[in-house]
Amino acid sequence: MSKGPPPVPGGRTPEEREAARRERDARRAARAGKPPPRFARPGSDGQPSDLLVEAPSLTASNSDNPHASRGPGDPAADGAGRGRPSRGGRPRWGRLLAAAILFVVLAGATWFVLSLLQPFKGDGEGQRVRVVIPKGASLGEIADLLQARGVIESSGFFELRARIAGRTGELKPGSYELREDMSYSAALDSLERGVPPNVVVLTIPEGRSRREIATLVKGKLRGSYLRASRRSPDINLRRYGAAGAKSLEGFLFPATYELKKSQPMSRLVGEQVAAFERSFAKVNMRYARSKNLTPYDVLIIASMVEREAQVARERRLIASVIYNRLRQGINLGIDATIRYALGQWTKPLKESELASPSPYNTRTNPGLPPGPIGNPGLASIQAAAHPARTKYLFYVVKPGSCGEHAFSASDAEFQRDVRRYNTEREKRGGKSPTNC
């Protein structure tokens, strides 16, 4: 009987030490994700033989060792089981999500900076527009005015740009002629410069007559406005059916004009008639022509509408009353025409004045007056060209309102409305029963 290697006092046999070494190497290989090492089986004399064996796998499932780790070949390690995901790298979808978030943030930041600084915009490329900045207007109010007129794209960004640049305290009030689609910086530059000192700004309200306009502009330009507004080489009145007109009444478009103080009144008149032609070109005359009305007739009706309508929505209703009365041959009875002839717009009309023999007295003369009684704006001209389709023949001021009218289609309804008006007027001691 052969004897094996002598026992080592107080220790392990060489075979036990070799087995422990192989187990340690196998664990290291498992942690590194490598295949288990192969070892030579020791011979009977304790030396390695030529036969190679594979070390016990520490990465496979081992019922005897429930805490054994799982290697790359295990289904759980490949994501098919319930084990942890591989530590080989961050999941691809995570990197894509991070990249998408970064792109959105960068795109938003770029859009914000471009919207605020507007590097590709300049002094504006659109039409010239008039913007009146009132005294004491806040930065927000100025921004809203500029956006409403199309000068800037966003009132919010304009206000932010002004605050960041510290340009909030030098914006000057006045009437400006600016361009549409200006950059925030260009608009701020214009408002900081202010209106030039040698420029006069003239605002002509809608509906005013030549005489009233002459009073407004007197002394601000050279010459006489009444004389300059009789005729102008800048407009052909025949084109509008007004060859016999005695003046440019009706063609002097109401707007705000900016002129050098040294300019003559004829320059203002020239700009007014040019503005009129640009505006009138927007009016569709088809319906008026179907009623055998000329452009000059429409201007006359528009001038009466401008004086009578104090509420914008009533313009077309008042125009419809004029059309209906003309069609039925009823005198218009519009007292504003008498006031125009008398040059008296504020005081109550006397009985003698209501019986004036003037051809502008539409109480006593049928049809339209000889010419416009003022210079209407575009809204009234459009209402005169396109009246509402109604059967109304009368209107009277509605008590308790601010310029509204009660419209009626019969004399009985009209008399009822007149009684209501007179009753309320008596209650107020003869004063107008309106609340304005």
Side-chain angles (χ1 to χ4, degrees):
M1 181 176 181
S2 63
K3 297 180 180 180
V8 179
R12 294 178 294 180
T13 64
E15 290 84 356
E16 291 174 335
R17 288 198 297 273
E18 179 65 20
R21 183 179 67 79
R22 289 199 300 270
E23 185 175 352
R24 287 196 302 273
D25 291 343
R27 289 182 182 277
R28 292 193 191 101
R31 284 195 296 271
K34 298 178 180 179
R38 303 176 73 190
F39 302 96
R41 184 186 298 278
S44 60
D45 57 355
Q47 299 300 319
S49 70
D50 293 335
L51 180 61
L52 296 179
V53 297
E54 188 169 313
S57 175
L58 299 178
T59 62
S61 176
N62 190 340
S63 59
D64 295 331
N65 184 9
H67 299 292
S69 63
R70 305 185 182 214
D74 189 270
D78 289 336
R82 295 181 297 171
R84 296 180 180 178
S86 170
R87 298 181 181 178
R90 189 173 183 177
R92 185 178 181 184
W93 64 266
R95 293 195 297 272
L96 292 175
L97 179 59
I101 293 174
L102 179 61
F103 174 79
V104 171
V105 171
L106 291 176
T110 301
W111 170 83
F112 179 82
V113 172
L114 291 177
S115 298
L116 183 65
L117 301 181
Q118 296 182 313
F120 307 112
K121 281 192 177 183
D123 295 333
E125 299 178 355
Q127 296 180 349
R128 291 186 177 276
V129 294
R130 179 68 55 181
V131 181
V132 178
I133 306 298
K135 291 182 180 180
S138 66
L139 177 61
E141 291 170 338
I142 294 174
D144 290 339
L145 285 171
L146 294 178
Q147 181 180 346
R149 299 292 290 158
V151 175
I152 59 173
E153 185 175 346
S154 166
S155 60
F157 273 110
F158 175 84
E159 187 172 355
L160 180 61
R161 177 68 185 276
R163 293 190 185 281
I164 291 177
R167 304 175 67 178
T168 61
E170 299 297 328
L171 306 184
K172 298 177 177 60
S175 178
Y176 294 87
E177 189 177 71
L178 304 173
R179 284 194 177 276
E180 294 177 340
D181 201 28
M182 294 179 73
S183 69
Y184 303 133
S185 178
L188 287 168
D189 290 342
S190 296
L191 298 184
E192 286 177 342
R193 285 194 299 267
V195 179
N198 64 334
V199 169
V200 59
V201 178
L202 304 171
T203 300
I204 313 300
E206 296 175 339
R208 300 296 174 89
S209 66
R210 288 172 60 237
R211 294 175 187 172
E212 292 173 292
I213 297 174
T215 302
L216 290 173
V217 302
K218 184 178 181 180
K220 297 182 179 180
L221 297 173
R222 291 191 293 108
S224 166
Y225 183 82
L226 283 176
R227 186 178 298 112
S229 59
R230 288 175 186 166
R231 284 288 184 273
S232 173
D234 298 316
I235 188 170
N236 181 4
L237 297 184
R238 291 180 180 274
R239 179 183 175 187
Y240 300 94
K246 295 182 179 180
S247 72
L248 296 176
E249 193 81 88
F251 298 94
L252 303 167
F253 197 73
T256 298
Y257 299 93
E258 186 175 300
L259 298 166
K260 290 185 177 180
K261 293 181 179 179
S262 60
Q263 295 292 320
M265 289 291 183
S266 59
R267 178 63 182 273
L268 171 60
V269 171
E271 292 204 11
Q272 284 185 283
V273 295
F276 166 81
E277 292 199 298
R278 288 194 301 270
S279 298
F280 198 85
K282 303 174 184 177
V283 179
N284 187 335
M285 290 290 297
R286 183 179 302 173
Y287 182 79
R289 283 196 297 266
S290 72
K291 304 301 179 182
N292 297 319
L293 296 175
T294 67
Y296 194 50
D297 293 332
V298 169
L299 270 185
I300 295 173
I301 295 173
S303 69
M304 292 186 286
V305 170
E306 195 72 78
R307 284 291 187 178
E308 294 289 290
Q310 297 184 44
V311 180
R313 65 175 179 273
E314 291 187 355
R315 287 191 176 102
R316 296 184 67 229
L317 294 175
I318 291 175
S320 74
V321 172
I322 295 173
Y323 270 71
N324 292 340
R325 292 176 78 90
L326 288 174
R327 185 177 64 252
Q328 296 188 28
I330 304 173
N331 291 358
L332 297 182
I334 294 178
D335 291 345
T337 61
I338 301 175
R339 291 184 178 278
Y340 173 78
L342 300 173
Q344 196 273 91
W345 295 101
T346 56
K347 299 178 182 178
L349 291 172
K350 302 175 182 178
E351 290 295 331
S352 59
E353 292 173 329
L354 294 176
S356 168
S358 168
Y360 281 88
N361 188 341
T362 53
R363 281 179 175 249
T364 57
N365 295 295
L368 294 173
I373 63 172
N375 297 277
L378 180 58
S380 290
I381 296 174
Q382 289 176 328
H386 296 277
R389 304 295 179 89
T390 74
K391 295 182 179 180
Y392 294 146
L393 293 170
F394 310 92
Y395 59 86
V396 65
V397 173
K398 186 184 297 184
S401 69
C402 184
E404 293 183 52
H405 292 88
F407 293 85
S408 52
S410 68
D411 184 68
E413 293 174 332
F414 175 63
Q415 294 303 328
R416 178 200 61 197
D417 294 334
V418 170
R419 286 194 298 271
R420 184 182 299 121
Y421 174 87
N422 289 332
T423 300
E424 292 298 323
R425 186 177 182 181
E426 290 176 2
K427 289 181 180 178
R428 300 192 184 193
K431 296 181 179 180
S432 175
T434 56
N435 296 328
C436 294

